[in-house]
Amino acid sequence: MNIIVCIKQIMDPEIPTGKFKIDPEANRVIPSEGIPPVINPFDAQAIEVALRLKEANGANVTAITVGGQDVEDVVRYAISMGVDEGILVSDEAFKALNSFVTAFILSRAISRIGQYDLILCGRQAADRDAGHVGLMLGEMLNLPIITMAKAVTLSSDKFRVEHVITEGYQVYEVGMPALITISDEIGPPRRPSGWGVIAAAMGKEIPTWSAQDIGVNLSDVDIKSVRSETIRLFIPDSRRKGEVIQGNNVAEASANLMARLRADGII
Amino acid sequence: MVEFDAIIVGAGPAGCACAYTLAKQQLKVLLIERGKFAGSKNMWGGALYGPVLGDLSPEFLKEAPIERYVKRRILSLLSEESYFSLESAVNNESPDVPQDGAIILRAKFDRWFAEKARKAGAILANGVQVEDLLWKDGSIVGVKVGKDEIHGSVVVACDGVNSILAQKAGLKAELNPVGVKQGVKEVIKLPLETIEQRFNIQGNEGIAWEFLGKCTRGLPGGGFIYTNKDSLSVGVVVQLNALLENKVKANDLLEDFKRQPVVARLIDGGTLVEYSSHLIPTYGVSSTSRLFSDRFLITGDAAGLVLGTGLILEGANFAIASGIAAAKAIVRAKETGDFSAKALSHYQRLLEDNFVLKDFKTFKKMTHVLENPRLYSTYPDLVCSLWHKIHTNDGNPRKSVRQLLKEELKGRVSWWQLARDLIHMGGSL
Ligand SMILES: Cc1cc2nc3c(=O)[nH]c(=O)nc-3n(C[C@H](O)[C@H](O)[C@H](O)COP(=O)(O)OP(=O)(O)OC[C@H]3O[C@@H](n4cnc5c(N)ncnc54)[C@H](O)[C@@H]3O)c2cc1C
């Protein structure tokens, strides 16, 4: 069985708010100095699912990412977790992409890989939380899609998928090949072992495919068909104000508080 | 089984320098760092002194992420009412030689340095914590990470002040608070122009400012401010045993320090972006310290190579120099295939021959002088008050300096004590 996991490098979500900056002109987040990016946590969970399937049934797992020149680390991270191969689809033109273009590039790269039985994606990237790429990619590759999986197992050539719904889950069965997006209910992904990290660092060079290699010319992609556009990116003003409401006793203070909340239109 | 020529534990200045030097010599090197990336857990004041980075490669002096170069140094004595400063400046127009100090933020610097080692051919493993040494037949053969065993001809402990590996190898005892200082620091962000204005600097000029007195409530230690490009490093460094004995938290002293009017003005309006705390091994290295054993070496903070004499707090330069020396000894050992203690003792000889251990001899007496508690309260108060009175005109006839000094000394310290302290201090220089 061949499994492909699509992974994305994102800005560390644990970055202190003081260091989070945006460029409102360009509608862009400015990468913060000194805090390196990390793997999207949902993608690490997708890798976890791939590795569990591999352990249970045997599989060859390939992690693939699209980005600029600086995203090799995320592929090495996947290898340190235990995936067999990594592919870096990297081109200066691939730096700031929207979901549609990313899915398009991935679909081309995955077509180049050719053989696959399962494609896994995180349910969304924890930076923009759009959750589009997996769905668009499934469409482009013409695959059955099951989203928000909390468990994936294989029985007689079919995947049994538990799909999360508001108050429980639904069980689906889907044949190969399929695309499944993984939700955080899967639980924490494994951390790379010491040897895993060392082996990944020592490992062979990671194949890098350029736009040309996968036959993508971004100017051919009709940007109008992209259907999503960032109109405005801003940091909401969240200044807090403190005020102590007085009163001679608790009852009076609570009455004052109520009056005040009403006056401010809060209740 | 993979066997490395050298396993270097810790990608601080010592580990990076060692790994870089070894990789350049084509040795098979593994550099292990527990932080998400090199530098992510590291902090200091601080400035790198001396030319040692250039010894590795002249390019490094140009490439390293240096915030600013120390143009002016200030030492201020703080009292309740005022402060008294000594200031020195280098006259060259744009200082860009690190002799005078290159102000650096570790998160950027260590990461850059580790990347240099990696590019030179070292295998860099981030996010991996070494838990123990790996022994076979009484001899060190590698390190343990979780269940994994990693083999190497020699292990270099560059794991910093509380070196687990040096302890496991039997070269160091557990840290004794008497020989250790605690440093706490905040990085406070301010617009670049504000920093240039407040400190009267421009371009790549920077300030190293040290404070003695009021800020440590009389405990042995001091405060510091370093100007980064668009932030300030503000912190205090205090003797750990004094903190423990007096049940004082270093963090409270930092808050005191930040409230000092002179400091408060400098940091006014800034945003706190980072807080960190770290120990500093200032117990000193003596001629009896042993920094090597069979297939094992200790460098930098792990070896206690920090000069904390009060006037000087330097460790990174010694860390780098010792990392280079360790690498040289390993390259020699590799040539003969002999990694025994005898062969590796070359490392300590190299340290004795270059500035590292010589500096420690030179400043040996200094540490005793620094134990004098009067340095941290009585004298700063006295100097500030005296200076203030000399310059105060309250309309009454002025007193002679001698008279003023006499009044100031009264109840604080005797003439005899003052003379003794001065002789002592002079003698230690
Ligand atoms: C507040 C303060 C101010 C200072 N100011 C100055 C100054 O102005 N100038 C100066 O020269 N020096 C200064 N120093 C001292 C200087 O920071 C140290 O001497 C220097 O960093 C020592 O380098 P090192 O490589 O030996 O150790 P460290 O820099 O401590 O590096 C050790 C590395 O090992 C890693 N590590 C530890 N244990 C393990 C493990 N088990 N497995 C894997 N990795 C591990 C750590 O994460 C770390 O990256 C200051 C120190 C402090 C605390």
Coordinates of all heavy atoms in Angstrom, one line a residue, chain B residues 311-371:
Chain B
L311 N 33.8 42.6 37.6 CA 34.1 43.6 36.5 C 33.9 42.9 35.1 O 33.6 43.6 34.1 CB 35.6 44.0 36.5 CG 35.9 44.9 37.7 CD1 37.4 45.3 37.6 CD2 35.1 46.2 37.7
I312 N 34.0 41.6 35.2 CA 33.9 40.9 33.9 C 32.9 39.7 34.1 O 33.0 39.0 35.1 CB 35.3 40.3 33.5 CG1 36.3 41.4 33.4 CG2 35.2 39.5 32.3 CD1 37.7 40.9 33.3
L313 N 32.1 39.5 33.1 CA 31.3 38.2 33.1 C 31.5 37.7 31.7 O 30.9 38.2 30.7 CB 29.8 38.4 33.4 CG 29.0 37.2 33.4 CD1 29.5 36.2 34.4 CD2 27.5 37.5 33.7
E314 N 32.4 36.7 31.6 CA 32.7 36.2 30.3 C 32.6 34.6 30.3 O 33.2 34.0 31.2 CB 34.1 36.6 29.8 CG 34.2 38.0 29.4 CD 35.6 38.4 29.0 OE1 36.3 37.5 28.7 OE2 35.8 39.6 28.9
G315 N 32.0 34.1 29.4 CA 31.9 32.6 29.3 C 31.9 32.1 27.9 O 32.5 31.1 27.5
A316 N 31.2 32.9 27.0 CA 31.1 32.4 25.6 C 32.4 32.3 24.9 O 32.6 31.4 24.1 CB 30.1 33.4 24.9
N317 N 33.3 33.3 25.1 CA 34.6 33.3 24.5 C 35.4 32.1 25.0 O 36.0 31.4 24.2 CB 35.3 34.6 24.7 CG 35.3 35.0 26.1 OD1 34.6 34.5 26.9 ND2 36.1 36.0 26.4
F318 N 35.3 31.8 26.2 CA 36.0 30.6 26.8 C 35.4 29.3 26.2 O 36.0 28.3 26.0 CB 36.0 30.6 28.3 CG 36.7 31.8 28.9 CD1 36.1 32.7 29.6 CD2 38.1 31.9 28.6 CE1 36.7 33.8 30.2 CE2 38.8 33.0 29.2 CZ 38.1 34.0 29.9
A319 N 34.0 29.4 26.1 CA 33.3 28.2 25.6 C 33.8 27.9 24.2 O 34.1 26.8 23.8 CB 31.8 28.4 25.6
I320 N 33.9 28.9 23.3 CA 34.3 28.7 21.9 C 35.7 28.3 21.9 O 36.1 27.3 21.2 CB 34.1 30.0 21.1 CG1 32.6 30.4 21.0 CG2 34.7 29.9 19.7 CD1 32.3 31.7 20.4
A321 N 36.6 28.9 22.7 CA 38.0 28.5 22.7 C 38.2 27.1 23.2 O 39.0 26.3 22.6 CB 38.8 29.5 23.6
S322 N 37.4 26.7 24.2 CA 37.6 25.3 24.7 C 37.0 24.3 23.7 O 37.5 23.2 23.5 CB 37.0 25.2 26.1 OG 35.6 25.4 26.0
G323 N 36.0 24.7 23.0 CA 35.4 23.8 22.0 C 36.4 23.6 20.9 O 36.6 22.5 20.4
I324 N 37.1 24.6 20.5 CA 38.1 24.5 19.4 C 39.3 23.6 19.9 O 39.8 22.7 19.2 CB 38.7 25.9 19.0 CG1 37.6 26.8 18.4 CG2 39.8 25.7 18.0 CD1 38.0 28.2 18.1
A325 N 39.7 23.9 21.2 CA 40.8 23.1 21.7 C 40.4 21.6 21.8 O 41.2 20.7 21.5 CB 41.2 23.6 23.1
A326 N 39.2 21.3 22.2 CA 38.7 19.9 22.3 C 38.8 19.3 21.0 O 39.2 18.2 20.8 CB 37.3 19.9 22.9
A327 N 38.4 20.0 20.0 CA 38.4 19.5 18.6 C 39.8 19.2 18.2 O 40.0 18.1 17.6 CB 37.7 20.5 17.6
K328 N 40.7 20.1 18.5 CA 42.1 19.8 18.1 C 42.6 18.5 18.7 O 43.3 17.7 18.1 CB 43.0 21.0 18.5 CG 42.8 22.2 17.6 CD 43.7 23.3 17.9 CE 43.6 24.5 16.9 NZ 44.0 25.8 17.5
A329 N 42.3 18.4 20.0 CA 42.8 17.2 20.7 C 42.2 15.9 20.1 O 42.8 14.9 20.0 CB 42.4 17.3 22.2
I330 N 40.9 16.0 19.7 CA 40.2 14.9 19.1 C 40.8 14.5 17.7 O 41.0 13.4 17.4 CB 38.7 15.1 19.0 CG1 38.1 15.2 20.4 CG2 38.0 14.0 18.2 CD1 36.7 15.8 20.4
V331 N 41.1 15.6 16.9 CA 41.7 15.3 15.6 C 43.0 14.6 15.8 O 43.3 13.6 15.1 CB 41.9 16.6 14.9 CG1 42.8 16.4 13.6 CG2 40.6 17.3 14.5
R332 N 43.8 15.0 16.8 CA 45.1 14.3 17.1 C 44.8 12.8 17.5 O 45.5 11.9 17.1 CB 45.8 15.0 18.2 CG 47.2 15.4 17.8 CD 47.8 16.2 18.9 NE 48.2 15.4 20.0 CZ 49.4 15.5 20.6 NH1 50.3 16.3 20.2 NH2 49.6 14.8 21.7
A333 N 43.8 12.7 18.4 CA 43.5 11.3 18.9 C 43.1 10.4 17.7 O 43.5 9.3 17.7 CB 42.5 11.4 20.0
K334 N 42.3 11.0 16.8 CA 41.8 10.2 15.7 C 43.0 9.7 14.8 O 42.9 8.6 14.3 CB 40.8 11.1 14.9 CG 40.5 10.6 13.5 CD 39.3 9.7 13.5 CE 39.0 9.3 12.1 NZ 38.0 8.2 12.0
E335 N 44.0 10.6 14.7 CA 45.1 10.2 13.8 C 45.8 8.9 14.4 O 46.2 8.1 13.6 CB 46.1 11.3 13.8 CG 45.8 12.4 12.7 CD 46.5 13.7 12.9 OE1 47.4 13.8 13.7 OE2 46.0 14.7 12.3
T336 N 45.9 8.8 15.7 CA 46.6 7.7 16.3 C 45.6 6.6 16.7 O 46.0 5.5 17.0 CB 47.4 8.1 17.5 OG1 46.4 8.7 18.4 CG2 48.5 9.1 17.2
G337 N 44.3 6.9 16.6 CA 43.3 6.0 17.0 C 43.3 5.8 18.5 O 42.6 4.8 19.1
D338 N 43.9 6.6 19.3 CA 44.0 6.5 20.7 C 43.2 7.6 21.4 O 43.5 8.8 21.3 CB 45.5 6.6 21.1 CG 45.6 6.5 22.6 OD1 44.6 6.3 23.4 OD2 46.8 6.7 23.1
F339 N 42.0 7.2 22.0 CA 41.1 8.2 22.6 C 41.2 8.1 24.1 O 40.3 8.5 24.8 CB 39.7 8.0 22.1 CG 39.5 8.3 20.7 CD1 39.6 7.3 19.7 CD2 39.2 9.6 20.3 CE1 39.4 7.6 18.4 CE2 39.1 9.9 18.9 CZ 39.1 8.9 18.0
S340 N 42.3 7.5 24.6 CA 42.5 7.4 26.1 C 42.6 8.7 26.7 O 42.9 9.7 26.1 CB 43.7 6.5 26.4 OG 44.8 7.2 26.0
A341 N 42.5 8.7 28.1 CA 42.6 9.9 28.8 C 44.0 10.5 28.6 O 44.2 11.8 28.4 CB 42.5 9.7 30.3
K342 N 45.0 9.7 28.5 CA 46.4 10.2 28.2 C 46.4 11.0 26.9 O 47.0 12.1 26.9 CB 47.3 9.0 28.2 CG 48.8 9.4 28.3 CD 49.6 8.2 28.8 CE 51.1 8.4 28.5 NZ 51.4 8.3 27.1
A343 N 45.9 10.4 25.9 CA 45.9 11.1 24.6 C 45.1 12.4 24.7 O 45.5 13.4 24.1 CB 45.4 10.2 23.5
L344 N 43.9 12.3 25.3 CA 43.0 13.5 25.3 C 43.5 14.6 26.3 O 43.0 15.7 26.3 CB 41.6 13.1 25.7 CG 40.9 12.2 24.6 CD1 39.5 11.8 25.1 CD2 40.8 13.0 23.3
S345 N 44.5 14.2 27.2 CA 45.0 15.3 28.1 C 45.6 16.4 27.3 O 45.8 17.5 27.8 CB 46.0 14.7 29.0 OG 47.2 14.3 28.3
H346 N 45.9 16.2 26.1 CA 46.4 17.2 25.2 C 45.4 18.5 25.2 O 45.8 19.6 25.1 CB 46.5 16.7 23.7 CG 47.0 17.7 22.7 ND1 48.3 18.2 22.9 CD2 46.5 18.2 21.6 CE1 48.5 19.1 21.9 NE2 47.4 19.1 21.1
Y347 N 44.1 18.2 25.4 CA 43.1 19.2 25.4 C 43.4 20.2 26.5 O 43.5 21.4 26.3 CB 41.7 18.6 25.6 CG 40.6 19.5 26.1 CD1 40.3 20.6 25.3 CD2 39.9 19.2 27.2 CE1 39.3 21.5 25.8 CE2 38.9 20.0 27.6 CZ 38.5 21.1 26.9 OH 37.5 22.0 27.3
Q348 N 43.7 19.7 27.7 CA 43.9 20.6 28.9 C 45.2 21.3 28.7 O 45.3 22.5 29.1 CB 43.9 19.8 30.2 CG 43.7 20.7 31.4 CD 42.9 20.1 32.5 OE1 42.3 19.0 32.4 NE2 43.0 20.7 33.7
R349 N 46.2 20.7 28.1 CA 47.4 21.4 27.8 C 47.2 22.6 26.9 O 47.7 23.6 27.1 CB 48.5 20.4 27.2 CG 49.4 19.8 28.3 CD 50.7 19.3 27.7 NE 50.4 18.4 26.6 CZ 50.0 17.1 26.7 NH1 49.8 16.6 27.9 NH2 49.8 16.4 25.6
L350 N 46.4 22.3 25.9 CA 46.1 23.5 24.9 C 45.4 24.6 25.7 O 45.8 25.8 25.5 CB 45.1 23.0 23.8 CG 45.7 22.1 22.7 CD1 44.6 21.6 21.8 CD2 46.8 22.8 21.9
L351 N 44.5 24.3 26.6 CA 43.9 25.4 27.4 C 44.8 26.1 28.3 O 44.7 27.3 28.5 CB 42.7 24.8 28.2 CG 41.5 24.2 27.5 CD1 40.5 23.8 28.5 CD2 40.9 25.2 26.5
E352 N 45.8 25.3 28.8 CA 46.8 26.0 29.7 C 47.7 26.9 28.9 O 48.2 27.9 29.3 CB 47.6 24.9 30.4 CG 46.9 24.5 31.7 CD 47.4 23.1 32.1 OE1 48.4 22.5 31.6 OE2 46.7 22.5 33.0
D353 N 47.9 26.5 27.6 CA 48.8 27.3 26.8 C 48.2 28.6 26.2 O 48.8 29.5 25.9 CB 49.4 26.5 25.6 CG 50.4 25.4 26.2 OD1 50.8 25.6 27.3 OD2 50.7 24.5 25.4
N354 N 46.9 28.5 26.0 CA 46.2 29.7 25.4 C 45.6 30.5 26.5 O 45.8 30.3 27.7 CB 45.3 29.4 24.2 CG 44.0 28.7 24.7 OD1 43.7 28.7 25.9 ND2 43.4 28.0 23.8
F355 N 44.8 31.5 26.1 CA 44.4 32.5 27.1 C 43.4 31.9 28.2 O 43.3 32.4 29.2 CB 43.7 33.7 26.4 CG 42.4 33.4 25.8 CD1 41.2 33.7 26.4 CD2 42.3 32.8 24.5 CE1 40.0 33.4 25.8 CE2 41.1 32.5 23.9 CZ 39.9 32.8 24.6
V356 N 42.8 30.8 27.8 CA 41.7 30.3 28.7 C 42.1 30.1 30.1 O 41.7 30.8 31.0 CB 41.1 29.0 28.1 CG1 40.0 28.5 29.0 CG2 40.5 29.3 26.7
L357 N 43.0 29.1 30.4 CA 43.3 28.9 31.8 C 44.2 30.0 32.3 O 44.3 30.2 33.5 CB 43.9 27.5 31.9 CG 42.8 26.4 31.7 CD1 43.4 25.0 31.8 CD2 41.7 26.5 32.7
K358 N 45.0 30.6 31.5 CA 45.8 31.8 31.9 C 44.9 32.9 32.6 O 45.2 33.4 33.6 CB 46.6 32.3 30.8 CG 47.8 31.4 30.4 CD 48.9 32.1 29.8 CE 50.1 31.2 29.5 NZ 50.3 30.9 28.1
D359 N 43.8 33.2 31.9 CA 42.9 34.2 32.4 C 42.4 33.8 33.8 O 42.2 34.6 34.6 CB 41.7 34.4 31.4 CG 42.1 35.3 30.3 OD1 43.2 35.8 30.2 OD2 41.2 35.6 29.5
F360 N 42.1 32.5 33.9 CA 41.6 32.1 35.2 C 42.6 32.3 36.3 O 42.3 32.6 37.4 CB 41.1 30.6 35.1 CG 39.8 30.6 34.5 CD1 39.6 30.5 33.1 CD2 38.6 30.7 35.3 CE1 38.4 30.5 32.5 CE2 37.4 30.6 34.7 CZ 37.3 30.5 33.3
K361 N 43.9 32.1 36.0 CA 44.9 32.3 37.0 C 45.0 33.8 37.3 O 45.0 34.2 38.5 CB 46.3 31.8 36.5 CG 46.6 30.4 37.0 CD 48.1 30.1 36.7 CE 48.2 28.6 36.6 NZ 48.9 28.2 35.4
T362 N 45.0 34.6 36.3 CA 45.1 36.0 36.5 C 44.1 36.6 37.4 O 44.4 37.4 38.3 CB 45.0 36.7 35.1 OG1 45.9 36.1 34.2 CG2 45.4 38.2 35.2
F363 N 42.9 36.1 37.3 CA 41.8 36.7 38.0 C 41.4 35.9 39.3 O 40.4 36.2 39.9 CB 40.5 36.8 37.1 CG 40.7 37.9 36.1 CD1 41.0 37.6 34.8 CD2 40.6 39.3 36.5 CE1 41.2 38.6 33.9 CE2 40.7 40.3 35.6 CZ 41.0 39.9 34.2
K364 N 42.2 35.0 39.7 CA 41.9 34.1 40.7 C 41.6 34.8 42.0 O 40.6 34.5 42.7 CB 43.0 33.1 41.0 CG 42.6 31.8 41.6 CD 43.6 30.8 41.5 CE 43.2 29.7 42.6 NZ 44.3 29.2 43.3
K365 N 42.4 35.8 42.4 CA 42.2 36.5 43.6 C 40.9 37.3 43.6 O 40.3 37.6 44.7 CB 43.4 37.4 43.9 CG 44.6 36.7 44.4 CD 45.5 37.8 45.0 CE 47.0 37.4 44.9 NZ 47.8 38.6 44.7
M366 N 40.5 37.7 42.5 CA 39.4 38.6 42.3 C 38.1 38.1 43.0 O 37.4 38.8 43.6 CB 39.1 38.8 40.9 CG 38.3 40.0 40.5 SD 39.4 41.4 40.5 CE 38.2 42.6 40.0
T367 N 37.9 36.8 42.9 CA 36.7 36.2 43.4 C 36.5 36.4 44.9 O 35.5 36.6 45.4 CB 36.6 34.7 43.0 OG1 37.9 34.2 43.1 CG2 36.0 34.5 41.7
H368 N 37.7 36.4 45.6 CA 37.6 36.6 47.0 C 37.2 38.0 47.4 O 36.4 38.2 48.3 CB 39.0 36.2 47.7 CG 39.3 34.8 47.5 ND1 38.6 33.8 48.1 CD2 40.3 34.2 46.8 CE1 39.1 32.6 47.7 NE2 40.2 32.9 46.9
V369 N 37.8 38.9 46.7 CA 37.4 40.3 46.9 C 35.9 40.5 46.8 O 35.2 41.2 47.5 CB 38.1 41.2 45.9 CG1 37.7 42.7 46.1 CG2 39.6 41.1 46.1
L370 N 35.3 39.8 45.8 CA 33.9 40.0 45.5 C 33.0 39.4 46.5 O 31.8 39.7 46.5 CB 33.6 39.3 44.1 CG 34.2 40.0 42.9 CD1 34.1 39.2 41.7 CD2 33.6 41.3 42.7
E371 N 33.6 38.7 47.4 CA 32.7 38.2 48.5 C 32.4 39.3 49.5 O 31.5 39.1 50.4 CB 33.4 37.0 49.2 CG 33.3 35.7 48.3 CD 34.3 34.7 48.7 OE1 34.9 34.8 49.8 OE2 34.5 33.8 47.9

